[in-house]
Amino acid sequence: MYLNKKSAKSQYSQALKAIFMVAFWAAASLWSWPVRAADGPSLTAVTVADGLQHPWAVAFLPDGRFLVTERPGRLRVVASDGRLGPPVAGLPRVAAGGQGGLLDVMLDTGFARNRRLYFCFAEPASEGGGNSTALASATLSQDASTLQDVKILFSQQPKVASSLHFGCRIVQAPDGNLFLALGERYHRKDDAQTLDNHHGKVVRIQPDGGVPADNPLRHRPGALPEIWSWGHRNPQGAAWGPDGRLWVHEHGPQGGDEINRPEPGRNYGWPVVTHGENYGGGKIGEGTAKAGMEPPLHSWVPSIAPSGMALLTSERYGTAWKGSLFVGSLKFGRLHRLEVRDGKVLREERLLEDLGERIRDVRQGPDGWLYLLTDSPRGRLLRLQPSTLPAAR
């Protein structure tokens, strides 16, 4: 009888311990998720900050803090320990609704000297209805509480009554000029093939808003001079690529998400050619290829709903991953690694498949780690690091 009681007590103790450990690891899983790439390191997505409302983009301040946009129209400074600062003052009026709001943010390459930054957003019309994507510059005050000297550098024309397909990713080229990827506003998809508007275009401007002298359509009658390329649908990822050129990805309709390398004066096909189809089925356009229209460098069927894109230049994850492109998926809540060489995608790998959250932005930080934003009412800023390192928050 004594042995049975002792055995029962021991089993009860072990059961309590097991319950405790399950609860502990369930709680811990809220802060990090170990994952393993097929041929890469064992990884952990560590929570740097949470409680962000539909965060859209992250930039890295020189002192180790982060700038994060929230789509409803707020810009926040996030401390290195995850504390959220109050909204930064000085933003212009933002048309927040649907897919619109405060979207991308990027520091000028000379930020340490001039404290200049760029951001794009859904800009409401000054009179009547409608909105469009706008790009602005500003100076961040020394205490990072206020935007000063805000200037609208570019405003997509025409403005339309829509809450869809704003695009809105910014890239600064090594020469200082700015690229802005623009959506075709969904119902205005045919505009992507005409040059008297900015819908479904990549535009290129100078940091002061001027038009570079070598823009491809600057002297073409009837064409808007800011246009760099056209025939795009809804670009939500852009980066300066491993080949020293602009890389952009864009949402297809039902299937047909694409990666392109927009070249000056080239047509990328939407909605005449696409690998996708209408929502619910049905052909769009004339097929998947046509003379005079550039084929995608890479496409996804079915769609992954890509958002955010980063080129890895560090060796934090080993030399094999250096030079890879990383793309977030809103639809599947995972991260895609694309191995590229000589301007071609050689293979693709899926990471963070158990994360289960919409990945909105992907950036490499100054420390060489990859950072992700998850899109939800309580979105998170995550750092992706090998599991063998201490997962400090």
Side-chain angles (χ1 to χ4, degrees), residues 33-51:
W33 300 262
V35 295
R36 187 165 190 81
D39 62 350
S42 180
L43 302 173
T44 297
V46 178
T47 300
V48 176
D50 63 0

Side-chain angles (χ1 to χ4, degrees), residues 71-323:
R71 184 159 45 82
R74 291 181 293 272
L75 176 66
R76 293 189 188 275
V77 176
V78 178
S80 57
D81 64 0
R83 288 177 294 116
L84 305 186
V88 175
L91 282 170
R93 194 160 61 100
V94 173
Q99 297 174 1
L102 181 60
L103 304 174
D104 207 7
V105 63
M106 186 195 71
L107 303 187
D108 183 77
T109 53
F111 180 87
R113 180 185 71 257
N114 59 31
R115 298 192 66 79
R116 183 181 300 138
L117 57 83
Y118 307 98
F119 60 93
C120 59
F121 63 104
E123 179 188 46
S126 57
E127 296 181 4
N131 52 59
S132 68
T133 302
L135 172 63
S137 65
T139 301
L140 184 66
S141 63
Q142 287 295 329
D143 63 0
S145 67
T146 306
L147 295 181
Q148 302 168 337
D149 306 317
V150 175
K151 178 184 178 182
I152 304 299
L153 303 177
F154 169 84
S155 186
Q156 182 187 38
Q157 297 298 325
K159 284 181 164 51
V160 297
S162 174
S163 61
L164 302 172
H165 292 197
F166 292 87
C168 205
R169 288 292 184 188
I170 312 164
V171 171
Q172 187 170 30
D175 64 4
N177 288 322
L178 301 170
F179 289 96
L180 178 64
L182 299 166
E184 33 71 294
R185 310 310 311 280
Y186 187 70
H187 296 294
R188 300 290 294 263
K189 66 179 185 297
D190 291 335
D191 284 359
Q193 286 297 315
T194 55
L195 302 177
D196 59 351
N197 64 81
H198 296 124
H199 296 157
K201 311 298 194 297
V202 171
V203 298
R204 177 180 180 242
I205 62 171
Q206 295 170 332
D208 62 359
V211 178
D214 59 347
N215 265 18
L217 304 184
R218 180 167 179 146
H219 302 293
R220 182 182 295 190
L224 297 181
E226 301 89 355
I227 296 173
W228 177 261
S229 62
W230 64 96
H232 302 285
R233 187 171 182 268
N234 187 24
Q236 290 192 9
W240 200 249
D243 52 357
R245 293 164 58 184
L246 178 68
W247 290 49
V248 170
H249 69 58
E250 57 192 87
H251 288 240
Q254 187 168 280
D257 300 338
E258 296 181 358
I259 292 180
N260 291 298
R261 293 186 300 171
E263 296 187 40
R266 299 289 181 88
N267 182 349
Y268 289 83
W270 176 256
V272 178
V273 295
T274 176
H275 288 269
E277 61 181 13
N278 278 309
Y279 295 110
K283 182 181 177 181
I284 297 176
E286 302 176 14
T288 59
K290 185 175 180 178
M293 297 184 177
E294 304 299 315
L297 185 70
H298 184 74
S299 62
W300 287 279
V301 179
S303 293
I304 67 167
S307 190
M309 180 161 65
L311 163 69
L312 185 68
T313 60
S314 81
E315 296 183 4
R316 285 287 200 177
Y317 307 96
T319 57
W321 280 17
K322 186 176 181 180

